[in-house]
Amino acid sequence: MDEDFNPSTTACLHLVSAFLAMEPTDCLISLARECGGGSITMEVQSFIWEECINRAACNINRPSDSYIKNFLKKVIVDVESNCSDVLDGLYEQYAYYLTALKDDSSMIANKRVCKSISFLFPDEGPSRPTSKLVVPLRCSLDMLEGDTGCSIWPSSLFLSEFILSHLELFSNKSCFEVGSGVGLVGVILAYVKAKKVVLSDGDFSSLANLKLNLEMNQLITGTDMPDRTLQDPNLMECIHLSWESASESRLRAFRPDIVLGADVIYDPICVPHLIRVLAIFLNPDKSNPCQRRGAPDDNDLAFGSCLGRTVYGDASNTKSQFDTSKKGTVAYIATVIRNLDTFHCFLKLSSENHLSVVDITETQKPLELLPYMQSYNRSSIRLFSISFSGDQNSGMVAG
Ligand SMILES: C[S@@+](CC[C@H](N)C(=O)[O-])C[C@H]1O[C@@H](n2cnc3c(N)ncnc32)[C@H](O)[C@@H]1O
């Protein structure tokens, strides 16, 4: 028996968080070994039984049965291969799934699953356990379902970490997200008390799934609660908005303080339309590109001085982007650069539309709130802040 096993360790917290997020089962096995100091001891098995399997049985927002079955199988194989005893409960539960789920066809037929993303906030000392925010999301195992909008993409994890790391930028702000997909960023914006959150997507099935996710997170859409006021921090709106067909007058009516987008720069055909939408939101008067909303101040001038640079360098002179008193609308776009040509097209069109793109990935690095998520490769993601410059030669500055 492992006398030293402590279920309150970070490793145990990470194991449960990874299970709820439906991380690859190999990752769960490595975390389970970490919990037991190198092997999946009887105590770790009991912990898995109590905190993952049993708890999941009582939770409507649980990982799929197929996923739990695969996890159980990997635990049993790992323990047996070390010639150790397997907890009876784990054998019995696995046997149950073997008969209940004869093959994985149920998994293919039912591609929608519930992943719960746990954001773990830094420890505030030994007496206070790590606090966490758990966001359940209905999503698809098929990354392409709903025009890609039914899966959780890594950039939305990064953007969520960014929002949670810079609450002051978003609280009491009116926010508009393009290509919202499953809605993680929207839930986080509501959590940090944005004044108003409009989530949008051009795909109807993604939008339907997004609304279910808002309901699951007790965030009711505006149309369902007409008597709510705009000051209500939970007031969310979900709208169908295609970048190709949204009219300028419709877009201008939203007047957001902040525009957000995660993993929306990937289709070269859509990029010009996305830039048009951003330009309308960010440019206070599109007919006069040199007119900025509000009078220029020192920060504006400081920011203006770095326009036109396309080299990577110190972006400390871009701090005006984080001055919350700044009047202009700013966009935060997180993306994985999968295709350089597409990304360069994005930059070129931004410049032509007098949008200044600043790479803030390093200078405004968010806290790592998803440390258990081994499948989440933060280093592949870039975060840009975009604003209207009024300068013909806007370019990209990077930190
Ligand atoms: C890769 S997914 C990212 C979803 C979500 N932001 C995330 O990071 O998890 C791209 C999203 O943009 C939406 N989208 C793609 N092209 C669009 C267009 N032309 N107009 C509106 N939405 C679009 C898709 O429906 C999808 O929800």
Side-chain angles (χ1 to χ4, degrees):
M1 294 284 277
D2 178 7
E3 306 261 314
D4 295 334
F5 177 75
N6 176 3
S8 313
T9 58
T10 304
C12 289
L13 174 65
H14 287 188
L15 173 60
V16 174
S17 303
F19 171 77
L20 293 174
M22 291 182 68
E23 278 287 276
T25 46
D26 284 340
C27 301
L28 297 191
I29 295 301
S30 80
L31 287 169
R33 286 196 197 121
E34 209 179 311
C35 293
S39 63
I40 305 180
T41 60
M42 193 51 91
E43 284 72 21
V44 176
Q45 293 180 57
S46 298
F47 178 80
I48 290 172
W49 173 246
E50 288 300 330
E51 299 300 322
C52 297
I53 313 296
N54 252 352
R55 215 171 263 262
C58 319
N59 187 352
I60 187 171
N61 302 326
R62 61 172 174 271
S64 68
D65 288 349
S66 298
Y67 177 79
I68 299 175
K69 179 186 133 187
N70 289 339
F71 176 39
L72 284 169
K73 182 178 174 183
K74 289 240 166 99
V75 171
I76 291 167
V77 167
D78 189 274
V79 174
E80 284 179 343
S81 65
N82 284 326
C83 304
S84 303
D85 291 335
V86 175
L87 190 77
D88 287 346
L90 297 184
Y91 267 140
E92 284 159 20
Q93 193 67 21
Y94 181 60
Y96 161 77
Y97 282 128
L98 274 183
T99 44
L101 309 171
K102 288 216 167 41
D103 53 47
D104 275 352
S105 58
S106 62
M107 186 158 165
I108 294 158
N110 181 18
K111 288 177 292 186
R112 294 285 168 95
V113 294
C114 182
K115 294 186 181 184
S116 294
I117 310 298
S118 306
F119 292 90
L120 307 180
F121 297 103
D123 214 338
E124 291 176 33
S127 57
R128 296 195 60 182
T130 307
S131 58
K132 61 180 175 177
L133 164 68
V134 182
V135 182
L137 293 168
R138 187 172 175 269
C139 52
S140 174
L141 295 175
D142 174 358
M143 298 294 272
L144 299 181
E145 193 181 337
D147 198 13
T148 69
C150 292
S151 299
I152 304 170
W153 291 80
S155 300
S156 69
L157 300 173
F158 195 84
L159 194 51
S160 299
E161 285 184 311
F162 177 74
I163 297 166
L164 289 166
S165 307
H166 298 281
L167 312 178
E168 72 288 353
L169 293 180
F170 301 92
S171 51
N172 213 27
K173 292 283 164 55
S174 168
C175 300
F176 190 108
E177 193 191 14
V178 293
S180 299
V182 297
L184 174 62
V185 166
V187 175
I188 300 298
L189 287 170
Y191 178 79
V192 303
K193 298 202 173 1
K195 181 169 65 184
K196 162 94 180 160
V197 181
V198 181
L199 305 179
S200 72
D201 208 284
D203 176 71
F204 283 106
S205 61
S206 300
L207 207 55
N209 188 54
L210 168 59
K211 286 183 180 173
L212 288 175
N213 279 332
L214 294 185
E215 277 167 26
M216 193 150 73
N217 284 279
Q218 283 88 49
L219 298 166
I220 300 158
T221 59
T223 45
D224 294 336
M225 300 283 283
D227 54 343
R228 285 194 170 196
T229 65
L230 288 184
Q231 280 71 43
D232 186 331
N234 282 344
L235 185 68
M236 317 271 297
E237 209 179 315
C238 266
I239 58 165
H240 178 259
L241 186 126
S242 136
W243 308 330
E244 288 78 1
S245 56
S247 71
E248 179 165 348
S249 57
R250 184 183 181 210
L251 291 169
R252 285 209 180 281
F254 289 107
R255 298 178 59 80
D257 300 313
I258 299 177
V259 180
L260 302 105
D263 252 325
V264 286
I265 309 170
Y266 60 98
D267 183 347
I269 296 171
C270 292
V271 167
H273 303 288
L274 174 62
I275 292 288
R276 183 186 73 90
V277 170
L278 292 178
I280 292 170
F281 276 139
L282 301 182
N283 182 343
D285 178 4
K286 205 157 169 269
S287 59
N288 178 7
C290 290
Q291 177 73 48
R292 298 193 66 174
R293 184 186 297 174
D297 56 21
D298 290 344
N299 282 336
D300 288 337
L301 294 174
F303 181 58
S305 69
C306 65
L307 293 173
R309 284 167 49 191
T310 54
V311 292
Y312 285 83
D314 178 13
S316 56
N317 56 349
T318 65
K319 72 180 173 54
S320 63
Q321 289 286 285
F322 294 92
D323 177 356
T324 51
S325 65
K326 197 168 175 346
K327 298 175 193 73
T329 302
V330 61
Y332 294 107
I333 304 287
T335 191
V336 174
I337 302 176
R338 298 187 175 85
N339 182 310
L340 263 184
D341 288 342
T342 306
F343 182 64
H344 285 147
C345 168
F346 176 81
L347 289 183
K348 182 171 172 284
L349 290 172
S350 296
S351 172
E352 286 170 12
N353 282 275
H354 316 286
L355 300 180
S356 164
V357 180
V358 181
D359 186 336
I360 57 169
T361 321
E362 303 302 331
T363 51
Q364 296 294 327
K365 222 183 191 109
L367 298 168
E368 295 193 20
L369 304 177
L370 303 162
Y372 59 89
M373 224 183 235
Q374 295 175 6
S375 67
Y376 166 42
N377 179 9
R378 289 171 120 248
S379 65
S380 67
I381 300 160
R382 308 305 302 174
L383 178 63
F384 300 101
S385 98
I386 306 177
S387 58
F388 176 68
S389 66
D391 188 308
Q392 300 272 349
N393 300 311
S394 302
M396 185 171 78
V397 179

